[in-house]
Amino acid sequence: MSVDASPQPPVDLERERQSLDTAAARNLATTTKSVPQMQEISSRWLLRMLPWVQVHSGTYRVNRRLSYAVGDGRVTFVQTAGRVEVIPAELGELPALRDYHDQAVLTELARRCEQHEYPVGAVLAEFGSAVDRVFLIAHGRVEKVGTGPYGDERVVEVLADGGYFGDSSLTAAEPIWETTFRASTACTVLELTRADVDNLAERAESLRAHLDDVAQVPEQRTNKYGEAAIDMVAGHVGEAVIPHTFVDYELAPREYELSVAQTVLKVHTRVADLYNEPMNQTEQQLRLTVEALRERQEYELVNNSEFGLLANCDHSQRIQPHDGVPGPDDMDELLSRRRGNKFFLAHPKAIAAFGRECNRRGLVPDTIDFNGHRIPAWRGVPIFPCGKIPLTEQRTTSIMCMRTGEDNQGVVGLRQDGIPDEIEPSLSVRFMGINEQAIISYLVTAYYSAAILVPDALGILENVEVSRRY
């Protein structure tokens, strides 16, 4: 077999071009462009769904009936390595210590709180025994276990981080535990005994006087919501004496001032003058700035410590999931705590976790059509996604459910329309001038806030797990 070893002609890699190259052609062509894109833009369902109330004065006052509730908050702790301590001022969240401001005495009470660790299943307080101490839950979950109508055990409530129980020991004469409290996870708890409080009260006259005054509060006539009662009679016959009454109001109602989000947009005059085809550069810069400002507005409405929904939800309207994951039972309980529920608001991962739990139980959540969007729902109430709700390092988050509108005594958004240089409701763009570097400045400002008109307008399912797999 012979092999042809004659040399082959070299391959011409650079063939002679027969037409104009596309790279060169683009020098004479105008490309088709999209407007500038932005990944931060979200659906912002909270801003869409909240009814907005016009606040002409810049301040919105929520008037309510007088309430005798003297403590309904959460207790906050600080941790140093394995040592947990309660912040002294946070003891004012206990009903018996509400509005007590002697920091020296509160500091001494905080020092007397003893830290205890309880394993899963440990009983912290047993039904029928004497209430002799206050339990402050620094970390973990505690079940409040009652007795059902047929003598079986029932978990009637779940308490978690920041919760407390046994506060009646500070004011009541000889209280007893009406339920059993049991740890459902490993718990870190601080305990303040009645003996320590009484011992300190013997030396601090202000504490003794305050506890004596608070002990009289339960004697006030109230309805089941803690509001001052309105006397009346019903079902009477003959000439019964009809009681006189009046509706008492809070003397210092809460006021919400409009919050502000601002930024300064800068555009060089050369860009604004020469590069406006096919799109106006200033308009596009402003559009993206407004989008970012609206995203920050929704974040603040959810997370702001002064008016944000997560921080201002009433303690009585916060519940814990029975099994960690957000299940149908938990969503039903969240719905049952208020009338006229308008919508749920949840982190997308929480919605996915709820869907997995429904799948595990063989349930199919509803879906509804909302302005052309297919939205998941539960019991006919839509569940809107909101990525502004925090997701902790432990992969837990919260689910909110709310009633909205002034007429329904719900949650409302606050804004002031008609401000100078307004381009959108309660959002203005003001020209600030041109500096020596030929840069134009615009002040972009948004004013907003939110108010919860009555406590049961908003409820939160807290500490829901989003990463559990079956």
Side-chain angles (χ1 to χ4, degrees):
M1 179 177 181
S2 62
V3 178
D4 184 5
S6 60
Q8 300 293 325
V11 178
D12 184 8
L13 299 179
E14 293 292 335
R15 293 183 179 179
E16 183 178 352
R17 188 177 295 116
Q18 300 182 30
S19 63
L20 182 67
D21 184 73
T22 55
R26 289 185 59 186
N27 293 329
L28 300 182
T30 299
T31 59
T32 301
K33 308 174 183 66
S34 73
V35 297
Q37 306 299 302
M38 181 176 177
Q39 295 186 62
E40 187 183 6
I41 298 175
S42 66
S43 54
R44 298 198 292 266
W45 283 110
L46 180 60
L47 297 189
R48 295 194 206 182
M49 296 301 297
L50 276 183
W52 293 91
V53 175
Q54 173 75 325
V55 182
H56 294 285
S57 60
T59 302
Y60 186 79
R61 177 180 297 164
V62 178
N63 289 308
R64 293 177 179 172
R65 279 178 60 185
L66 179 63
S67 174
Y68 290 115
V70 292
D72 56 1
R74 289 292 183 89
V75 180
T76 305
F77 305 85
V78 293
Q79 181 175 358
T80 305
R83 175 64 180 169
V84 177
E85 298 178 346
V86 61
I87 298 174
E90 288 294 310
L91 290 174
E93 297 294 345
L94 299 178
L97 297 176
R98 176 61 62 90
D99 296 328
Y100 181 70
H101 304 296
D102 191 327
Q103 290 300 312
V105 176
L106 291 175
T107 301
E108 178 62 19
L109 286 174
R111 190 186 66 79
R112 296 189 180 205
C113 292
E114 296 184 1
Q115 180 176 340
H116 293 271
E117 306 290 337
Y118 290 95
V120 177
V123 175
L124 284 68
E126 190 170 0
F127 169 76
S129 59
V131 182
D132 63 348
R133 65 193 61 206
V134 183
F135 293 85
L136 310 176
I137 305 173
H139 181 66
R141 289 161 51 91
V142 175
E143 295 177 339
K144 182 178 180 181
V145 182
T147 303
Y150 299 101
D152 55 332
E153 284 190 352
R154 296 288 177 84
V155 176
V156 296
E157 189 178 358
V158 179
L159 304 175
D161 302 9
Y164 58 84
F165 55 96
D167 47 282
S168 60
S169 65
L170 302 184
T171 54
E174 296 180 355
I176 63 171
W177 293 110
E178 298 180 353
T179 55
T180 296
F181 290 86
R182 185 171 57 206
S184 60
T185 66
C187 294
T188 300
V189 178
L190 299 186
E191 299 178 13
L192 177 63
T193 65
R194 172 69 178 266
D196 280 335
V197 175
D198 288 342
N199 178 268
L200 183 58
E202 291 178 359
R203 296 184 287 108
E205 295 183 0
S206 62
L207 179 60
R208 171 53 59 198
H210 179 82
L211 293 176
D212 290 342
D213 289 341
V214 171
Q216 303 302 316
V217 172
E219 298 178 3
Q220 301 284 350
R221 288 179 47 78
T222 64
N223 60 21
K224 66 178 181 179
Y225 302 104
E227 298 171 330
I230 298 176
D231 294 328
M232 63 183 68
V233 294
H236 54 283
V237 295
E239 298 179 352
V241 177
I242 300 176
H244 296 251
T245 190
F246 66 96
V247 180
D248 207 354
Y249 300 134
E250 289 184 351
L251 297 179
R254 178 169 181 180
E255 294 183 346
Y256 294 84
E257 293 185 358
L258 291 183
S259 183
V260 61
Q262 291 180 309
T263 188
V264 176
L265 172 64
K266 295 187 175 183
V267 181
H268 200 285
T269 53
R270 177 181 293 179
V271 173
D273 293 342
L274 302 180
Y275 299 94
N276 281 332
E277 292 295 340
M279 302 170 197
N280 186 289
Q281 294 282 358
T282 303
E283 287 182 1
Q284 295 302 320
Q285 289 280 303
L286 182 59
R287 180 180 66 85
L288 297 181
T289 302
V290 169
E291 292 285 357
L293 209 60
R294 290 303 193 195
E295 293 291 332
R296 182 55 181 266
Q297 176 181 347
E298 185 176 60
Y299 175 87
E300 293 293 320
L301 290 176
V302 172
N303 297 287
N304 188 279
S305 60
E306 293 296 324
F307 58 86
L309 300 183
L310 288 178
N312 286 271
C313 179
D314 191 82
H315 177 69
S316 64
Q317 299 299 320
R318 299 172 184 265
I319 62 175
Q320 304 294 323
H322 289 85
D323 194 33
V325 295
D329 301 336
D330 303 312
M331 300 292 271
D332 284 342
E333 184 175 357
L334 196 57
L335 282 175
S336 67
R337 287 177 174 250
R338 67 201 44 78
R339 57 179 172 81
N341 296 281
K342 188 69 174 180
F343 61 91
F344 292 98
L345 200 66
H347 193 282
K349 291 185 179 296
I351 298 176
F354 175 64
R356 288 195 298 271
E357 183 66 12
C358 288
N359 292 338
R360 187 177 73 88
R361 300 190 187 189
L363 302 175
V364 179
D366 305 330
T367 58
I368 64 172
D369 183 85
F370 185 85
N371 294 339
H373 300 271
R374 297 301 297 176
I375 302 296
W378 183 249
R379 307 294 188 192
V381 180
I383 309 174
F384 291 111
C386 179
K388 312 299 190 305
I389 299 177
L391 185 64
T392 68
E393 295 180 358
Q394 292 75 31
R395 310 295 289 176
T396 63
T397 183
S398 299
I399 297 176
M400 292 189 283
C401 183
M402 68 187 77
R403 179 178 69 247
T404 61
E406 277 189 310
D407 294 339
N408 291 326
Q409 299 183 111
V411 181
V412 296
L414 307 176
R415 70 186 184 193
Q416 182 173 336
D417 299 346
I419 59 177
D421 302 312
E422 184 178 69
I423 63 169
E424 292 183 6
S426 203
L427 188 148
S428 67
V429 178
R430 289 185 173 180
F431 175 69
M432 297 177 62
I434 304 175
N435 65 11
E436 295 179 351
Q437 285 77 39
I439 296 177
I440 309 171
S441 298
Y442 298 92
L443 176 64
V444 187
T445 305
Y447 296 101
Y448 55 87
S449 189
I452 304 170
L453 300 189
V454 294
D456 76 341
L458 173 67
I460 296 180
L461 178 64
E462 298 183 311
N463 299 321
V464 297
E465 298 179 21
V466 301
S467 298
R468 186 185 300 185
R469 293 291 189 272
Y470 296 101

